[in-house]
Amino acid sequence: MDYVIEVKNLGKKYNIKHHSGGYVTLREIITNALKNPLRFLKKKTKEIIGIDTKEEFWALREFNFNVEKGEVIGIIGPNGAGKSTLLKILTGITPPTEGEVRIKGKVASLLEVGTGFHPELTGRENIFLNGAILGMTRKEISQKFNQIVEFSGIEKFIDTPVKHYSSGMHVRLAFSVAAHMEPDILLIDEVLAVGDAEFQEKCLGKMEEVTKGAGRTILFVSHNMGVIQNLCTKTILIEKGKITAMGETGEVVHQYLYKNQGSIAVSEYKIDISKEVQISKISVIGKTDIPQSRIPISDSFFIKVEFEVFRPVKNTSISVLFYSQGERLLFSSDFDKTLKLKDYEPGKYVSTLHVPSYLFNVGDFYFDVFIGEPSIVGYDSKRNIPLEILNTNNPRSPILRGVSVGKIAIILNFDIERLV
Amino acid sequence: MSKLTIIRPKKTLSIEDLKELWKYKELLYFFTWRDLKVRYKQTVIGVGWAIFQPFVTMVVFSIFFGKLLNTPSDGVPYPIFVFTGLLFWQFFSGALSETSSVLIGNQAIISKVYFPRLILPLSSVVTKVIDFLIAGAILLMMMVYYGYTPGISALFIMPLLLLITFLLSVGGGLFLASINVKYRDVKYALPFFIQILLFLTPVIYPASIVGKFSWLLAINPMTGVIQASRAVLLGTTPLNWITLGASFFISFLIMFIGVLYFKKVERYSIDIL
């Protein structure tokens, strides 16, 4: 069989120190060494003879798959599963720790749109520079120069320094260069959220052209199950750095949506009887009555909070605060529609919050649960429970070619009457 | 048939790296072109800066060290003596400080596109060669003014000296660029370090001033370079092949260590940038 991408036993290990901490300063190291020379020496010797237990984790491990020419492969999985790391290895940005990848042909990724643009240089100069960084030769760029400029629609400003461009023009030019690379293998991460609507339309058109064009192979990473199901013939599911499913898109997407979610969708907590009230379990329940942390946008779901009361409490409310990614509080919800505070006698309780469909838009969300007497005392709180809204059966998708903007997706009604 | 790329865990250094570097030579050209273009666009006086900087330094040094302090200059006029030293020194120190920040400065590109990372520091040193050539032109004019005719050997020795300084700058620069990724405060120490090095190199004084300890100075590869340039251009001393050889050897060694260390850090630098 003729494969364009062969991945064999690929693995990537991160040193947690490297991965999360970023850089250290020499000053810190020297101060540490001076403050506590003995401990410093001990640590160094341990590191040198290799018995130091470094914190490391495998972002990817034991990856094996092959891609045939012309296949469009979807890559799905929860955040932090290793999807982006895989793309970074395939583009060569970060080297793997073990295994190997064999790639036939030129690889391009839409990660690199606008890479290396220099504000002081003109549009023309930046096309050449950016093209060269993306791996085009000077000859290739000269040949495609007119097409690139025409596609970007900024002929008038081609000899103006890029620093005077609007951000829209900047993106147009950048995308134009990337779109004219004509790679054999294209890696796409997430949706293109760039440029104005008209230009996005143009880009999507170009992408479709690319997809259908002569045997181009595409790896497509997305959270948008609708797009994955439309475009991809095969899909790879990555969870916690491992390939957990691979094959026909429909099946894999189904597995991702409905299986093995118990561990994320249910959070249990240790009981601490010194408190008055203690939350013991929070679960997100899908419409099929099974725990599910990834919910299709068209489904309603439940948030169940189980709690234990050890001493009688008065005027208590349970509230759930929903956040979108980036810590933006969307809204908070008290459980009782009557808006009355309740008194509880010792015992075990469960409270169920019903969240309607089309409340949240597609994306990642978090929620916090609080139990307490409002603005007087908090008995217990649990934070950052994840929730993901998926773009399946989204009636808006075909109309809007993707997702509508914003965090809330309530469908409102327009009453339109003809006046004249 | 389209080309085959194999991605494997990175080894420290192999012949493949050189081949790859050659494949990306056009990118080296583009980065150099970008740096030059941007510099001469941003600076009002453009190329003037490349002339102005060494020239003014030479004038100030000549007044203070030459005239007021009467620093010996191996029997040649002090301005031309110090300018010969500055020619190489400014190339070296400029390249060193430029290269040291090259990984951090181009972070946006490095984290998105693959190309041999060595291209970046190499292009900053190449950019400095252009400045060197401009300053070299001034030196030629000064030699005409002071009536010095270089021996024929200068034609062979000068490119060799440029090569030695080039190797040394690349090596030192790579080393600094790598530790700069790991320890971000290195850049604050660097100007101080370079200033100290200026006084440990016979730029403003002749090596002979140190007397019987001049061999200590010879450990510094820039000593050999500057002395040799004065020997062939101004005929201050006979050309000392031993110090020159030592300079070449040490520079080569430093370049080799720099490249090795850079390749080692390269493997994980992207993960901490």
Side-chain angles (χ1 to χ4, degrees):
Chain A
M1 201 65 225
D2 194 22
Y3 294 120
V4 271
I5 305 177
E6 285 177 77
V7 175
K8 273 187 222 143
N9 198 29
L10 191 72
K12 170 80 184 176
K13 185 170 70 178
Y14 280 111
N15 195 328
I16 289 192
K17 208 168 64 191
H18 288 165
H19 188 57
S20 61
Y23 54 88
V24 280
T25 61
L26 203 56
R27 172 174 49 86
E28 283 166 355
I29 301 241
I30 293 170
T31 343
N32 276 346
L34 290 180
K35 263 190 194 159
N36 212 330
L38 266 181
R39 198 204 290 160
F40 181 79
L41 278 180
K42 245 192 203 163
K43 210 177 135 233
K44 273 282 160 208
T45 25
K46 271 187 185 170
E47 259 174 40
I48 288 162
I49 53 179
I51 54 167
D52 184 30
T53 46
K54 269 188 199 156
E55 288 180 77
E56 10 185 75
F57 85 99
W58 289 87
L60 298 180
R61 193 125 208 221
E62 287 156 18
F63 266 52
N64 287 291
F65 64 88
N66 299 316
V67 179
E68 283 171 40
K69 192 168 196 276
E71 275 188 314
V72 180
I73 308 273
I75 297 173
I76 58 175
N79 285 332
K83 302 183 298 281
S84 302
T85 308
L86 177 64
L87 288 202
K88 274 191 182 166
I89 293 175
L90 292 181
T91 46
I93 295 168
T94 186
T97 316
E98 58 178 33
E100 79 169 31
V101 183
R102 286 166 170 273
I103 297 175
K104 276 180 209 147
K106 195 157 134 191
V107 182
S109 77
L110 290 184
L111 275 177
E112 42 197 45
V113 169
T115 309
F117 263 41
H118 199 289
E120 294 289 338
L121 300 178
T122 66
R124 181 188 303 275
E125 289 161 346
N126 268 311
I127 290 178
F128 278 91
L129 178 64
N130 188 228
I133 292 174
L134 299 187
M136 286 192 252
T137 60
R138 231 182 309 172
K139 224 172 110 194
E140 278 178 288
I141 307 169
S142 310
Q143 277 168 0
K144 289 179 193 154
F145 185 80
N146 289 334
Q147 271 173 280
I148 294 174
V149 177
E150 199 180 313
F151 184 79
S152 69
I154 52 157
E155 292 94 333
K156 265 197 223 161
F157 307 100
I158 199 66
D159 288 312
T160 311
V162 164
K163 64 178 171 185
H164 299 304
Y165 282 23
S166 71
S167 60
M169 286 159 67
H170 198 273
V171 167
R172 278 154 178 273
L173 186 63
F175 188 83
S176 284
V177 181
H180 288 83
M181 279 183 68
E182 299 184 353
D184 303 297
I185 299 159
L186 186 63
L187 310 175
I188 305 172
D189 198 348
E190 293 297 339
V191 270
L192 293 151
V194 292
D196 50 32
E198 186 202 344
F199 187 67
Q200 272 189 24
E201 193 78 359
K202 223 168 151 187
C203 294
L204 284 167
K206 184 82 192 171
M207 296 247 291
E208 260 162 42
E209 188 189 301
V210 164
T211 320
K212 286 170 189 149
R216 192 147 305 163
T217 312
I218 298 183
L219 262 65
F220 186 55
V221 171
S222 180
H223 282 290
N224 191 328
M225 296 303 137
V227 175
I228 291 270
Q229 276 172 317
N230 271 336
L231 287 178
C232 308
T233 44
K234 262 170 78 180
T235 295
I236 296 172
L237 170 60
I238 303 177
E239 285 172 306
K240 290 183 184 159
K242 300 231 157 135
I243 295 182
T244 47
M246 181 161 47
E248 198 265 317
T249 298
E251 281 168 32
V252 178
V253 170
H254 188 267
Q255 172 171 350
Y256 174 53
L257 295 186
Y258 297 106
K259 284 183 197 157
N260 310 322
Q261 290 187 41
S263 58
I264 317 164
V266 178
S267 323
E268 287 182 83
Y269 305 98
K270 268 189 200 156
I271 291 297
D272 171 12
I273 53 164
S274 66
K275 289 182 178 173
E276 280 91 347
V277 179
Q278 158 85 51
I279 296 169
S280 55
K281 189 173 167 187
I282 297 173
S283 30
V284 181
I285 309 285
K287 66 172 179 188
T288 46
D289 276 341
I290 52 162
Q292 188 181 331
S293 69
R294 293 192 278 270
I295 315 279
I297 189 166
S298 56
D299 285 6
S300 60
F301 61 98
F302 302 94
I303 293 176
K304 264 190 187 169
V305 179
E306 289 173 39
F307 59 97
E308 256 180 80
V309 179
F310 300 107
R311 276 176 284 279
V313 289
K314 288 190 170 179
N315 293 332
T316 302
S317 88
I318 303 162
S319 46
V320 180
L321 277 67
F322 291 92
Y323 297 87
S324 65
Q325 237 179 355
E327 294 284 295
R328 183 170 295 236
L329 177 59
L330 294 175
F331 79 103
S332 71
S333 157
D334 292 317
F335 273 9
D336 199 322
K337 266 194 174 169
T338 59
L339 291 176
K340 275 183 187 156
L341 299 170
K342 278 185 179 167
D343 302 343
Y344 293 95
E345 291 300 314
K348 287 189 181 181
Y349 297 83
V350 60
S351 178
T352 307
L353 174 71
H354 177 215
V355 185
S357 55
Y358 302 112
L359 173 58
F360 296 114
N361 206 347
V362 176
D364 287 301
F365 296 88
Y366 298 90
F367 63 91
D368 296 351
V369 178
F370 290 96
I371 295 189
E373 200 177 333
S375 37
I376 300 196
V377 59
Y379 299 121
D380 198 5
S381 65
K382 299 294 172 209
R383 289 167 193 272
N384 293 332
I385 298 140
L387 186 65
E388 193 179 341
I389 304 293
L390 300 164
N391 194 26
T392 24
N393 308 326
N394 190 350
R396 294 175 191 191
S397 280
I399 306 166
L400 296 172
R401 301 190 82 151
V403 189
S404 57
V405 291
K407 297 295 175 193
I408 304 292
I410 298 171
I411 299 175
L412 302 173
N413 211 30
F414 285 96
D415 279 328
I416 298 170
E417 285 170 48
R418 187 163 176 161
L419 292 175
V420 188
Chain B
M1 191 58 224
S2 40
K3 69 184 166 74
L4 177 71
T5 319
I6 300 175
I7 301 171
R8 287 211 187 98
K10 278 246 156 53
K11 291 200 200 78
T12 22
L13 191 66
S14 64
I15 197 80
E16 290 301 312
D17 288 313
L18 286 177
K19 279 188 195 160
E20 201 186 32
L21 217 54
W22 181 247
K23 220 179 79 193
Y24 279 85
K25 58 185 183 302
E26 202 153 81
L27 191 58
L28 177 67
Y29 162 80
F30 269 109
F31 276 132
T32 312
W33 170 81
R34 173 193 71 175
D35 288 348
L36 288 174
K37 195 115 195 172
V38 168
R39 191 136 52 100
Y40 294 135
K41 247 183 203 181
Q42 271 175 342
T43 335
V44 193
I45 37 175
V47 188
W49 182 241
I51 299 171
F52 183 76
Q53 200 190 355
F55 192 78
V56 170
T57 318
M58 180 270 289
V59 170
V60 171
F61 280 8
S62 300
I63 293 171
F64 286 93
F65 294 107
K67 267 261 160 349
L68 301 176
L69 281 173
N70 277 322
T71 312
S73 52
D74 287 344
V76 294
Y78 190 79
I80 199 167
F81 170 85
V82 80
F83 197 85
T84 319
L86 281 173
L87 178 70
F88 284 96
W89 176 256
Q90 290 195 331
F91 171 50
F92 171 69
S93 66
L96 207 60
S97 57
E98 196 97 336
T99 318
S100 68
S101 61
V102 82
L103 283 182
I104 295 176
N106 288 287
Q107 201 169 336
I109 304 179
I110 295 177
S111 58
K112 283 183 180 156
V113 188
Y114 177 75
F115 53 88
R117 304 320 189 197
L118 271 172
I119 293 274
L120 283 170
L122 273 180
S123 93
S124 356
V125 181
V126 172
T127 312
K128 289 288 167 195
V129 173
I130 309 291
D131 287 357
F132 175 87
L133 294 178
I134 293 173
I138 305 177
L139 182 65
L140 271 181
M141 285 187 263
M142 286 177 70
M143 286 173 67
V144 173
Y145 178 81
Y146 284 104
Y148 279 93
T149 335
I152 194 82
S153 60
L155 276 178
F156 308 101
I157 298 293
M158 287 302 278
L160 178 68
L161 297 180
L162 182 61
L163 176 72
I164 295 176
T165 321
F166 190 90
L167 293 179
L168 187 64
S169 313
V170 170
L174 285 176
F175 185 76
L176 288 171
S178 316
I179 54 174
N180 211 358
V181 170
K182 242 174 137 179
Y183 310 111
R184 295 293 163 92
D185 49 354
V186 168
K187 62 168 179 279
Y188 303 115
L190 190 63
F192 165 74
F193 174 71
I194 287 180
Q195 201 176 12
I196 295 293
L197 265 184
L198 169 65
F199 291 102
L200 294 179
T201 311
V203 177
I204 45 182
Y205 56 85
S208 51
I209 206 175
V210 205
K212 60 177 177 171
F213 293 109
S214 61
W215 60 270
L216 259 177
L217 278 179
I219 299 171
N220 176 354
M222 285 309 285
T223 302
V225 169
I226 289 173
Q227 272 189 303
S229 70
R230 282 178 185 147
V232 295
L233 291 178
L234 312 173
T236 46
T237 47
L239 185 59
N240 188 338
W241 287 100
I242 297 168
T243 23
L244 189 59
S247 289
F248 189 76
F249 178 74
I250 295 173
S251 300
F252 196 80
L253 197 70
I254 288 179
M255 189 212 56
F256 195 68
I257 294 171
V259 172
L260 272 184
Y261 188 65
F262 186 82
K263 294 299 285 183
K264 187 176 166 242
V265 172
E266 190 190 30
R267 271 181 289 177
Y268 60 82
S269 63
I270 185 63
D271 304 328
I272 54 176
L273 265 174

CSV table of all heavy atoms in Angstrom, one decimal, chain A residues 20-51:
chain,number,residue,atom,x,y,z
A,20,SER,N,5.4,23.3,31.8
A,20,SER,CA,4.5,24.3,32.4
A,20,SER,C,5.2,25.5,33.0
A,20,SER,O,4.7,26.6,32.9
A,20,SER,CB,3.7,23.6,33.6
A,20,SER,OG,4.6,23.2,34.5
A,21,GLY,N,6.4,25.3,33.4
A,21,GLY,CA,7.1,26.4,34.1
A,21,GLY,C,7.7,27.4,33.3
A,21,GLY,O,8.0,28.5,33.7
A,22,GLY,N,7.9,27.1,32.0
A,22,GLY,CA,8.6,28.1,31.1
A,22,GLY,C,10.0,28.2,31.6
A,22,GLY,O,10.6,27.2,32.0
A,23,TYR,N,10.5,29.4,31.6
A,23,TYR,CA,12.0,29.5,31.8
A,23,TYR,C,12.2,29.8,33.3
A,23,TYR,O,11.3,30.2,34.0
A,23,TYR,CB,12.5,30.6,30.9
A,23,TYR,CG,11.8,31.9,31.1
A,23,TYR,CD1,12.1,32.8,32.1
A,23,TYR,CD2,10.7,32.2,30.3
A,23,TYR,CE1,11.5,34.0,32.2
A,23,TYR,CE2,10.0,33.4,30.4
A,23,TYR,CZ,10.4,34.3,31.4
A,23,TYR,OH,9.7,35.5,31.6
A,24,VAL,N,13.4,29.6,33.7
A,24,VAL,CA,13.9,30.0,35.0
A,24,VAL,C,14.9,31.1,34.8
A,24,VAL,O,15.5,31.3,33.7
A,24,VAL,CB,14.5,28.9,35.8
A,24,VAL,CG1,13.5,28.0,36.4
A,24,VAL,CG2,15.4,28.1,34.9
A,25,THR,N,15.2,31.9,35.8
A,25,THR,CA,16.3,32.8,35.7
A,25,THR,C,17.5,32.3,36.4
A,25,THR,O,17.4,31.5,37.4
A,25,THR,CB,15.9,34.2,36.3
A,25,THR,OG1,15.7,34.0,37.6
A,25,THR,CG2,14.7,34.8,35.6
A,26,LEU,N,18.7,32.7,35.8
A,26,LEU,CA,19.9,32.3,36.4
A,26,LEU,C,20.0,32.8,37.8
A,26,LEU,O,20.6,32.1,38.7
A,26,LEU,CB,21.0,32.9,35.5
A,26,LEU,CG,22.4,32.2,35.6
A,26,LEU,CD1,22.3,30.7,35.2
A,26,LEU,CD2,23.4,32.9,34.7
A,27,ARG,N,19.5,34.0,38.0
A,27,ARG,CA,19.5,34.6,39.4
A,27,ARG,C,18.8,33.7,40.4
A,27,ARG,O,19.4,33.4,41.5
A,27,ARG,CB,18.7,35.9,39.3
A,27,ARG,CG,18.4,36.6,40.6
A,27,ARG,CD,17.8,38.0,40.3
A,27,ARG,NE,16.7,37.9,39.4
A,27,ARG,CZ,15.4,37.6,39.7
A,27,ARG,NH1,15.2,37.4,41.0
A,27,ARG,NH2,14.5,37.5,38.8
A,28,GLU,N,17.7,33.1,40.0
A,28,GLU,CA,17.0,32.2,40.9
A,28,GLU,C,17.9,31.0,41.3
A,28,GLU,O,18.0,30.6,42.4
A,28,GLU,CB,15.7,31.6,40.3
A,28,GLU,CG,14.6,32.6,40.3
A,28,GLU,CD,13.4,32.2,39.4
A,28,GLU,OE1,13.6,31.2,38.7
A,28,GLU,OE2,12.4,32.9,39.4
A,29,ILE,N,18.5,30.4,40.3
A,29,ILE,CA,19.3,29.2,40.5
A,29,ILE,C,20.5,29.6,41.4
A,29,ILE,O,20.8,28.8,42.4
A,29,ILE,CB,19.9,28.7,39.1
A,29,ILE,CG1,18.7,28.4,38.2
A,29,ILE,CG2,20.8,27.6,39.4
A,29,ILE,CD1,18.6,27.0,37.8
A,30,ILE,N,21.1,30.7,41.1
A,30,ILE,CA,22.2,31.1,42.0
A,30,ILE,C,21.8,31.4,43.4
A,30,ILE,O,22.5,31.0,44.3
A,30,ILE,CB,23.0,32.3,41.3
A,30,ILE,CG1,23.6,31.9,40.0
A,30,ILE,CG2,24.0,32.9,42.3
A,30,ILE,CD1,24.2,33.0,39.2
A,31,THR,N,20.7,32.1,43.5
A,31,THR,CA,20.2,32.4,44.9
A,31,THR,C,19.9,31.1,45.6
A,31,THR,O,20.3,30.9,46.8
A,31,THR,CB,18.9,33.2,44.9
A,31,THR,OG1,18.8,33.8,43.7
A,31,THR,CG2,18.9,34.3,46.0
A,32,ASN,N,19.3,30.2,45.0
A,32,ASN,CA,19.0,28.9,45.6
A,32,ASN,C,20.2,28.2,46.0
A,32,ASN,O,20.3,27.6,47.1
A,32,ASN,CB,18.2,28.0,44.6
A,32,ASN,CG,16.7,28.3,44.7
A,32,ASN,OD1,16.3,29.0,45.5
A,32,ASN,ND2,16.0,27.8,43.7
A,33,ALA,N,21.2,28.2,45.1
A,33,ALA,CA,22.5,27.5,45.4
A,33,ALA,C,23.2,28.1,46.6
A,33,ALA,O,23.7,27.4,47.4
A,33,ALA,CB,23.4,27.5,44.2
A,34,LEU,N,23.1,29.4,46.7
A,34,LEU,CA,23.8,30.1,47.8
A,34,LEU,C,23.0,29.9,49.1
A,34,LEU,O,23.6,29.8,50.2
A,34,LEU,CB,24.0,31.6,47.5
A,34,LEU,CG,25.0,31.9,46.4
A,34,LEU,CD1,25.1,33.4,46.2
A,34,LEU,CD2,26.3,31.3,46.7
A,35,LYS,N,21.7,30.0,49.1
A,35,LYS,CA,20.9,29.9,50.3
A,35,LYS,C,21.0,28.5,50.9
A,35,LYS,O,21.1,28.4,52.1
A,35,LYS,CB,19.4,30.1,49.9
A,35,LYS,CG,18.9,31.5,50.1
A,35,LYS,CD,17.4,31.5,50.0
A,35,LYS,CE,16.9,32.9,49.9
A,35,LYS,NZ,15.6,32.9,49.2
A,36,ASN,N,21.0,27.5,50.0
A,36,ASN,CA,21.0,26.2,50.6
A,36,ASN,C,21.9,25.3,49.8
A,36,ASN,O,21.5,24.4,49.0
A,36,ASN,CB,19.5,25.7,50.5
A,36,ASN,CG,19.2,24.7,51.6
A,36,ASN,OD1,20.1,24.0,52.1
A,36,ASN,ND2,18.0,24.7,52.0
A,37,PRO,N,23.2,25.5,50.0
A,37,PRO,CA,24.2,24.8,49.1
A,37,PRO,C,24.1,23.3,49.2
A,37,PRO,O,24.3,22.6,48.2
A,37,PRO,CB,25.5,25.3,49.6
A,37,PRO,CG,25.3,26.1,50.8
A,37,PRO,CD,23.8,26.4,51.0
A,38,LEU,N,23.8,22.8,50.4
A,38,LEU,CA,23.8,21.3,50.5
A,38,LEU,C,22.7,20.7,49.7
A,38,LEU,O,22.9,19.8,49.0
A,38,LEU,CB,23.6,21.0,52.0
A,38,LEU,CG,24.9,20.7,52.7
A,38,LEU,CD1,24.6,20.4,54.2
A,38,LEU,CD2,25.7,19.6,52.0
A,39,ARG,N,21.5,21.3,49.8
A,39,ARG,CA,20.4,20.7,49.1
A,39,ARG,C,20.6,20.8,47.6
A,39,ARG,O,20.3,19.9,46.8
A,39,ARG,CB,19.1,21.5,49.5
A,39,ARG,CG,17.8,20.6,49.1
A,39,ARG,CD,16.6,21.5,49.0
A,39,ARG,NE,16.2,22.1,50.2
A,39,ARG,CZ,15.4,23.2,50.3
A,39,ARG,NH1,15.0,23.8,49.2
A,39,ARG,NH2,15.0,23.6,51.5
A,40,PHE,N,21.2,22.0,47.2
A,40,PHE,CA,21.4,22.2,45.8
A,40,PHE,C,22.4,21.2,45.2
A,40,PHE,O,22.1,20.6,44.2
A,40,PHE,CB,22.0,23.6,45.6
A,40,PHE,CG,22.3,24.0,44.2
A,40,PHE,CD1,21.3,24.4,43.3
A,40,PHE,CD2,23.6,23.9,43.7
A,40,PHE,CE1,21.5,24.7,42.0
A,40,PHE,CE2,23.9,24.2,42.4
A,40,PHE,CZ,22.8,24.6,41.6
A,41,LEU,N,23.4,20.9,46.0
A,41,LEU,CA,24.4,19.9,45.6
A,41,LEU,C,23.8,18.5,45.5
A,41,LEU,O,24.0,17.8,44.5
A,41,LEU,CB,25.6,19.9,46.6
A,41,LEU,CG,26.7,21.0,46.3
A,41,LEU,CD1,27.8,20.8,47.3
A,41,LEU,CD2,27.2,20.8,44.9
A,42,LYS,N,23.0,18.2,46.5
A,42,LYS,CA,22.3,16.9,46.5
A,42,LYS,C,21.5,16.7,45.3
A,42,LYS,O,21.5,15.7,44.6
A,42,LYS,CB,21.4,16.8,47.7
A,42,LYS,CG,21.8,15.8,48.8
A,42,LYS,CD,20.7,15.7,49.7
A,42,LYS,CE,21.0,15.2,51.1
A,42,LYS,NZ,20.0,15.5,52.1
A,43,LYS,N,20.7,17.8,45.0
A,43,LYS,CA,19.8,17.7,43.8
A,43,LYS,C,20.6,17.5,42.5
A,43,LYS,O,20.3,16.7,41.7
A,43,LYS,CB,19.0,19.0,43.8
A,43,LYS,CG,17.6,18.7,43.2
A,43,LYS,CD,16.8,20.0,43.2
A,43,LYS,CE,16.1,20.2,41.9
A,43,LYS,NZ,16.3,21.4,41.2
A,44,LYS,N,21.7,18.3,42.4
A,44,LYS,CA,22.5,18.3,41.2
A,44,LYS,C,23.1,16.9,41.0
A,44,LYS,O,23.1,16.3,39.9
A,44,LYS,CB,23.6,19.3,41.3
A,44,LYS,CG,23.2,20.7,40.8
A,44,LYS,CD,23.1,20.7,39.2
A,44,LYS,CE,22.2,21.8,38.8
A,44,LYS,NZ,21.6,21.7,37.5
A,45,THR,N,23.6,16.3,42.1
A,45,THR,CA,24.3,15.0,42.0
A,45,THR,C,23.2,14.0,41.6
A,45,THR,O,23.5,13.1,40.8
A,45,THR,CB,24.9,14.5,43.3
A,45,THR,OG1,24.3,15.2,44.4
A,45,THR,CG2,26.4,14.8,43.3
A,46,LYS,N,22.0,14.1,42.2
A,46,LYS,CA,21.0,13.2,41.9
A,46,LYS,C,20.6,13.3,40.4
A,46,LYS,O,20.5,12.3,39.7
A,46,LYS,CB,19.7,13.5,42.7
A,46,LYS,CG,19.7,12.7,44.0
A,46,LYS,CD,18.3,13.0,44.6
A,46,LYS,CE,18.3,12.3,46.0
A,46,LYS,NZ,17.0,12.8,46.7
A,47,GLU,N,20.5,14.5,39.9
A,47,GLU,CA,20.2,14.7,38.5
A,47,GLU,C,21.3,14.1,37.6
A,47,GLU,O,21.0,13.5,36.6
A,47,GLU,CB,20.1,16.2,38.2
A,47,GLU,CG,18.7,16.7,38.1
A,47,GLU,CD,18.6,18.2,38.0
A,47,GLU,OE1,19.5,18.8,37.3
A,47,GLU,OE2,17.8,18.9,38.6
A,48,ILE,N,22.5,14.3,38.0
A,48,ILE,CA,23.6,13.8,37.2
A,48,ILE,C,23.7,12.3,37.1
A,48,ILE,O,23.8,11.7,36.1
A,48,ILE,CB,25.0,14.5,37.6
A,48,ILE,CG1,25.0,16.0,37.3
A,48,ILE,CG2,26.2,13.8,37.0
A,48,ILE,CD1,26.0,16.8,38.0
A,49,ILE,N,23.5,11.7,38.3
A,49,ILE,CA,23.6,10.2,38.2
A,49,ILE,C,22.2,9.6,37.9
A,49,ILE,O,22.1,8.4,37.7
A,49,ILE,CB,24.2,9.6,39.5
A,49,ILE,CG1,23.4,10.1,40.8
A,49,ILE,CG2,25.7,9.9,39.7
A,49,ILE,CD1,23.9,9.5,42.0
A,50,GLY,N,21.2,10.5,37.7
A,50,GLY,CA,20.0,10.0,37.1
A,50,GLY,C,19.0,9.4,38.0
A,50,GLY,O,18.1,8.6,37.5
A,51,ILE,N,19.1,9.5,39.3
A,51,ILE,CA,18.1,8.9,40.2
A,51,ILE,C,17.0,9.9,40.6
A,51,ILE,O,16.1,9.6,41.3
A,51,ILE,CB,18.7,8.3,41.5
A,51,ILE,CG1,19.6,9.3,42.2
A,51,ILE,CG2,19.5,7.0,41.1
A,51,ILE,CD1,19.9,8.8,43.6
